Amino acid sequence: MVLIMRDMKRIYLDHAASMPVDPRVLQFAQPYLSEVGNPSSLYEFGQHAKQIIEDSRRKIAEFINAESEKTIIFTGSATESNNIAIRGTALRNKNDGTEILASAIEHISVLNPMKDLQKNGWVFRTIPVDSYGIVDLHQLSALLSKNTIVTSINYGNNEIGTIEPIKKISEIVHDKGKYLHVDGKAAAGRIPIDVQAEGIDLLTLSSNDLYGPKGAGVLYIKPGVKVQSIMPGGGQERGLRSGTENIFAIAGMGEACVIAKKEMKSESNRLQNIRDKLISEIKVIEETYLTGHPVNRLPHHASFRISHIEGESILLSMDMYNIQVATGSACSSKTLEPSHVLLAIGLKHEEAHGSMVMTLGRSNTISQVPEIVKAVKETVVRLRNLSPLK
Amino acid sequence: MVLIMRDMKRIYLDHAASMPVDPRVLQFAQPYLSEVGNPSSLYEFGQHAKQIIEDSRRKIAEFINAESEKTIIFTGSATESNNIAIRGTALRNKNDGTEILASAIEHISVLNPMKDLQKNGWVFRTIPVDSYGIVDLHQLSALLSKNTIVTSINYGNNEIGTIEPIKKISEIVHDKGKYLHVDGKAAAGRIPIDVQAEGIDLLTLSSNDLYGPKGAGVLYIKPGVKVQSIMPGGGQERGLRSGTENIFAIAGMGEACVIAKKEMKSESNRLQNIRDKLISEIKVIEETYLTGHPVNRLPHHASFRISHIEGESILLSMDMYNIQVATGSACSSKTLEPSHVLLAIGLKHEEAHGSMVMTLGRSNTISQVPEIVKAVKETVVRLRNLSPLK
């Protein structure tokens, strides 16, 4: 029976972990794999490579309404952007203060650099969130001081889909502290981000999360914000990120932003319809609960906790139906620790273990919903029958 | 006339700056752009991605005769590999000593992280080289102590092509100091590198310099060598390099190593023939001298200093013939400083400014030599007629 199911078309619901490159992006960027110079070279061929990078910078600046294309720094990944945003500001501004803040539900590529700084004398505190994952604004205000150099908050959460009130957070941060860094990896391309209107000082973007190639990330840096390099070398990207530019990935990311800007509204509406139908049909399964905010959530994101069964077993069972889901963040899959995000919203250890995350994308259709729901129902029944947790 | 020359086929002689992806590599890796999971995901689709990475690791380990595929860590670039090799060992072993060494002709992605450490209390010294760029072994021995954690030497130099006696250097380094890091970016794929036979503790490789896609680098770490992460996050690559793996670039780099292993000997012989003909015909131009070692040099590498004219003008003039050459390292093209490599081999400032570097690759043929030599000759005559330096 498993074999028969394997022949069915794959239903991929783990876009938070990895996304295919959009064929239009590939068509646009493909030539730069086989024919391109080094943008630091002065001959025309090299200067053409430079022009491709500058075009991409402009497209990305427009996508997030940045002041100018000069605010866009290309990195190798969202992890690297987060590291520069945190270590790069902390090191550069240490004479102004050594306190750093992050919400308790940030990605580990935000939390780990902060813990590293903590080992080296910085004061690192986490801001609690409510049971939906919304940052506690009173606690944020209480934890901030004039010594707080950088406060890092995700725009939307990868694991529970909750969208944070960034504009309000920005006002509170700037009332006392210095910089607001926003990890926009999960939210960008799903909901509009306007760095100027929302008062964002530093913003992380990932190419692959926008259907662009892996190998490019962006750190938006508002004019005047002081950051230093964390990986010195050839001095590319205004000295902030060394290494020969990955023109293919950079060109692809720019084009991915153009497509996202054009199609985001209709595509997000489409995904939200599928998502809402999934949520309404899955949460009626006995002892199955939505995690994250019911309304203020990313339109492509559905996440649940299912009592008495393990997320890893859910994932493997769903895979037998050729449906790919996640349990917590892909990066943490190696550990048996429950997700820090689910613990932060108040779940007990045993509750946090039964997590299932679905992130939708362009390949998903509303007609897939019955098959997905049927697979979840059968999975829950079968696993509960086997479960010692029951 | 310039327009007519533009229509001629490009003769690209700047492979040190950027290389096209080999069509066979592209064919092999292309599927992973549009269809691939996250290797941290437990479903089969994700585990397949993991398998692709492990296959690539094995291919690269075989290419450099590493102890096992576990010694291969994927990074985003050679710059990142160099940074991890230096900062990662210095930080991890600081209780054993805080001295670090590099040859005076290392790439700035080696020298700059060392200078950064120097600002933070490490003792950083550079080892002088002779007029050919060969590391002074007596000075190396004299500068080493039991407190020397990492000594960094390039296998072959990007700017002057000189190959260092790595095996001898390794013996001297290990007589007193701890780790030898070798930047193999320019040499790998041109001459064989055997990490075990040559006693290398850490080796930097770049995908693009092997005709692989940009976006992947490798750091080989000999078993037992202690290194720590410099960019914390999801803990990929045994905790040493966080960030979702760039499967396309990683798969491509592995395949590029398979091709290089198979074809290196014959291809390097072919390029060396072209290179030797170029050198013999260019160095007879009046007041034009080979830089770097005449014999112990990378087979694809020809570099010159030409009196009374500027490297930048040479580059732009050659570009009018649709021939792309370099002047010093591409990364330094932005500055007007003469190359630190040329100063280190004893050239005066004005001599170092007249540098021309040609790095050959698969697209070059012996039949291009007359056209290249003619363009150099005409360039030299024209520029010297204009030159105030004359």
Side-chain angles (χ1 to χ4, degrees):
Chain A
M1 195 183 78
V2 169
L3 279 174
I4 293 166
M5 289 190 298
R6 279 248 158 269
D7 288 326
M8 298 183 310
K9 204 171 148 34
R10 171 183 297 148
I11 300 180
Y12 185 63
L13 302 174
D14 194 16
H15 290 80
S18 180
M19 285 168 66
V21 180
D22 186 292
R24 294 166 292 180
V25 168
L26 202 51
Q27 198 184 3
F28 177 83
Q30 177 101 31
Y32 308 127
L33 282 171
S34 38
E35 196 184 333
V36 79
N38 183 319
S40 297
S41 301
L42 294 170
Y43 42 77
E44 195 180 314
F45 187 32
Q47 293 301 297
H48 176 57
K50 191 172 174 183
Q51 193 52 53
I52 296 163
I53 296 178
E54 298 312 316
D55 286 348
S56 180
R57 226 185 278 286
R58 185 182 41 74
K59 292 172 183 175
I60 295 166
E62 283 171 11
F63 178 57
I64 57 170
N65 191 33
E67 291 83 352
S68 83
E69 62 272 24
K70 288 184 189 137
T71 62
I72 304 298
I73 297 296
F74 288 108
T75 69
S77 64
T79 292
E80 193 179 345
S81 297
N82 284 343
N83 270 265
I84 300 173
I86 292 159
R87 278 177 50 81
T89 53
L91 293 170
R92 176 73 171 77
N93 299 278
K94 63 184 172 195
N95 293 336
D96 293 345
T98 54
E99 294 181 16
I100 51 181
L101 285 178
S103 91
I105 60 169
E106 292 307 304
H107 189 260
I108 44 179
S109 63
V110 164
L111 295 178
N112 284 350
M114 289 208 167
K115 286 177 190 165
D116 248 34
L117 286 166
Q118 190 177 26
K119 282 183 212 153
N120 288 285
W122 271 260
V123 177
F124 166 44
R125 296 197 193 91
T126 52
I127 311 149
V129 296
D130 69 15
S131 62
Y132 294 129
I134 301 277
V135 166
D136 183 326
L137 300 183
H138 293 289
Q139 281 292 320
L140 168 64
S141 180
L143 288 169
L144 275 161
S145 84
K146 67 176 176 43
N147 298 317
T148 312
I149 297 302
V150 61
T151 302
S152 188
I153 308 286
N154 56 195
Y155 204 109
N157 187 276
N158 232 14
E159 277 184 65
I160 57 172
T162 300
I163 299 170
E164 302 295 343
I166 292 297
K167 199 177 171 190
K168 267 191 227 163
I169 287 170
S170 167
E171 285 162 10
I172 295 168
V173 166
H174 291 114
D175 197 35
K176 292 188 194 168
K178 199 156 188 165
Y179 301 138
L180 172 63
H181 167 244
V182 173
D183 180 354
K185 181 180 192 286
R190 280 76 189 223
I191 52 175
I193 298 181
D194 182 326
V195 289
Q196 293 190 78
E198 297 173 277
I200 296 170
D201 298 306
L202 301 126
L203 177 74
T204 291
L205 297 174
S206 150
S207 169
N208 187 235
D209 286 76
L210 295 155
Y211 298 93
K214 290 192 179 74
V218 150
L219 182 63
Y220 156 81
I221 305 174
K222 184 182 166 136
V225 169
K226 290 177 191 162
V227 192
Q228 75 178 49
S229 162
I230 60 166
M231 206 167 77
Q236 288 87 348
E237 297 298 296
R238 296 198 283 126
L240 284 169
R241 202 276 175 168
S242 289
T244 302
E245 296 87 344
N246 186 341
I247 314 274
F248 165 69
I250 287 173
M253 183 172 182
E255 195 58 16
C257 284
V258 170
I259 295 171
K261 192 174 155 75
K262 202 160 47 188
E263 300 183 354
M264 179 163 57
K265 198 173 169 186
S266 64
E267 177 64 3
S268 287
N269 280 339
R270 193 184 73 83
L271 294 183
Q272 186 162 338
N273 276 336
I274 308 174
R275 196 271 318 266
D276 288 345
K277 196 167 160 63
L278 272 177
I279 291 179
S280 69
E281 298 196 15
I282 289 174
K283 75 174 182 189
V284 296
I285 299 173
E286 206 182 340
E287 290 187 83
T288 299
Y289 311 92
L290 184 72
T291 56
H293 203 284
V295 179
N296 296 334
R297 69 182 297 134
L298 298 173
H300 72 308
H301 198 288
S303 56
F304 306 91
R305 70 174 183 86
I306 306 177
S307 296
H308 312 306
I309 57 180
E310 292 273 347
E312 197 171 305
S313 311
I314 300 170
L315 183 154
L316 294 172
S317 167
M318 292 295 285
D319 194 29
M320 292 200 293
Y321 295 87
N322 211 354
I323 298 172
Q324 287 76 36
V325 301
T327 174
S329 149
C331 316
S332 334
S333 294
K334 280 160 258 171
T335 73
L336 290 173
E337 287 296 299
S339 150
H340 68 282
V341 174
L342 299 180
L343 296 181
I345 60 171
L347 298 194
K348 293 178 197 145
H349 272 236
E350 64 271 23
E351 292 170 337
H353 273 300
S355 156
M356 177 177 72
V357 181
M358 296 171 164
T359 41
L360 308 175
R362 292 187 189 144
S363 69
N364 299 122
T365 60
I366 196 109
S367 66
Q368 294 170 336
V369 172
E371 198 178 323
I372 299 167
V373 172
K374 180 168 174 286
V376 174
K377 283 182 178 163
E378 289 180 10
T379 290
V380 170
V381 168
R382 195 173 60 252
L383 293 179
R384 280 193 183 149
N385 280 337
L386 298 170
S387 171
L389 300 175
K390 193 182 156 187
Chain B
M1 194 184 77
V2 170
L3 279 173
I4 292 165
M5 288 190 295
R6 279 246 158 268
D7 287 325
M8 299 183 308
K9 205 172 150 33
R10 171 183 298 149
I11 301 180
Y12 185 63
L13 301 174
D14 194 16
H15 290 81
S18 180
M19 286 168 65
V21 180
D22 186 294
R24 295 166 291 180
V25 168
L26 202 52
Q27 196 183 5
F28 177 85
Q30 177 102 30
Y32 308 127
L33 281 170
S34 39
E35 195 185 333
V36 79
N38 182 319
S40 297
S41 300
L42 295 170
Y43 42 78
E44 197 181 312
F45 186 34
Q47 293 300 298
H48 176 59
K50 192 173 173 182
Q51 194 52 52
I52 297 162
I53 295 178
E54 297 313 315
D55 287 348
S56 179
R57 224 185 281 284
R58 186 181 43 71
K59 292 172 184 175
I60 295 165
E62 284 171 10
F63 178 58
I64 56 170
N65 191 33
E67 291 82 352
S68 82
E69 63 273 24
K70 287 184 189 136
T71 61
I72 304 298
I73 297 296
F74 289 109
T75 69
S77 64
T79 292
E80 193 178 344
S81 296
N82 284 343
N83 269 267
I84 299 173
I86 291 158
R87 280 176 49 82
T89 53
L91 292 171
R92 176 73 172 75
N93 300 278
K94 63 183 172 196
N95 293 335
D96 293 345
T98 54
E99 294 180 18
I100 50 180
L101 286 179
S103 90
I105 60 168
E106 294 306 305
H107 188 260
I108 42 179
S109 63
V110 164
L111 296 177
N112 284 350
M114 289 208 168
K115 286 178 191 166
D116 247 34
L117 287 166
Q118 189 177 26
K119 282 184 213 152
N120 288 284
W122 271 260
V123 178
F124 166 45
R125 296 197 194 90
T126 53
I127 311 149
V129 296
D130 69 13
S131 62
Y132 294 129
I134 301 277
V135 167
D136 182 326
L137 301 182
H138 294 289
Q139 281 292 319
L140 168 63
S141 181
L143 289 169
L144 275 160
S145 85
K146 65 176 177 43
N147 298 318
T148 312
I149 297 302
V150 61
T151 303
S152 190
I153 309 285
N154 55 197
Y155 205 109
N157 187 276
N158 233 14
E159 277 183 67
I160 56 173
T162 300
I163 300 170
E164 302 295 343
I166 292 298
K167 199 177 171 188
K168 268 192 228 163
I169 288 171
S170 167
E171 285 161 11
I172 295 169
V173 166
H174 291 114
D175 197 35
K176 293 188 192 167
K178 200 155 190 168
Y179 301 138
L180 171 63
H181 166 244
V182 173
D183 181 353
K185 183 180 191 286
R190 279 76 188 224
I191 52 174
I193 298 181
D194 183 325
V195 288
Q196 293 190 80
E198 297 173 276
I200 296 171
D201 298 306
L202 301 126
L203 177 74
T204 292
L205 297 174
S206 150
S207 169
N208 187 236
D209 286 74
L210 296 155
Y211 298 93
K214 290 194 179 73
V218 150
L219 183 63
Y220 156 81
I221 306 176
K222 184 184 167 133
V225 170
K226 289 177 188 161
V227 191
Q228 75 178 48
S229 161
I230 60 166
M231 205 167 76
Q236 288 87 348
E237 296 299 295
R238 297 200 283 125
L240 284 170
R241 202 274 176 168
S242 289
T244 301
E245 296 86 345
N246 186 343
I247 315 275
F248 165 70
I250 286 173
M253 182 172 182
E255 195 59 16
C257 285
V258 170
I259 296 170
K261 192 174 156 73
K262 203 161 46 189
E263 301 182 355
M264 180 164 57
K265 200 174 165 184
S266 63
E267 176 65 3
S268 286
N269 280 340
R270 193 183 72 84
L271 294 184
Q272 187 162 335
N273 277 336
I274 307 173
R275 197 272 316 264
D276 288 345
K277 197 167 160 63
L278 272 177
I279 291 178
S280 69
E281 298 198 13
I282 289 173
K283 75 175 181 187
V284 296
I285 299 172
E286 204 182 342
E287 289 187 82
T288 299
Y289 311 92
L290 185 72
T291 56
H293 203 283
V295 179
N296 297 333
R297 69 181 298 133
L298 298 173
H300 72 307
H301 197 289
S303 56
F304 307 90
R305 71 174 183 86
I306 307 176
S307 295
H308 312 305
I309 59 180
E310 292 274 346
E312 198 173 304
S313 311
I314 300 171
L315 184 154
L316 295 172
S317 167
M318 292 296 286
D319 194 28
M320 292 199 294
Y321 295 88
N322 211 357
I323 299 172
Q324 286 76 35
V325 301
T327 174
S329 148
C331 314
S332 335
S333 294
K334 281 161 255 170
T335 71
L336 291 174
E337 287 296 299
S339 150
H340 67 282
V341 174
L342 299 180
L343 297 181
I345 60 171
L347 298 194
K348 294 180 197 143
H349 273 237
E350 64 272 23
E351 292 170 339
H353 274 300
S355 154
M356 177 178 72
V357 182
M358 295 171 165
T359 41
L360 307 175
R362 292 187 188 143
S363 69
N364 298 123
T365 61
I366 195 109
S367 66
Q368 293 170 339
V369 172
E371 197 177 324
I372 299 168
V373 173
K374 180 168 175 284
V376 174
K377 283 181 178 163
E378 290 180 9
T379 290
V380 170
V381 168
R382 195 172 58 252
L383 293 179
R384 281 195 183 145
N385 281 336
L386 298 170
S387 172
L389 299 176
K390 194 182 155 188

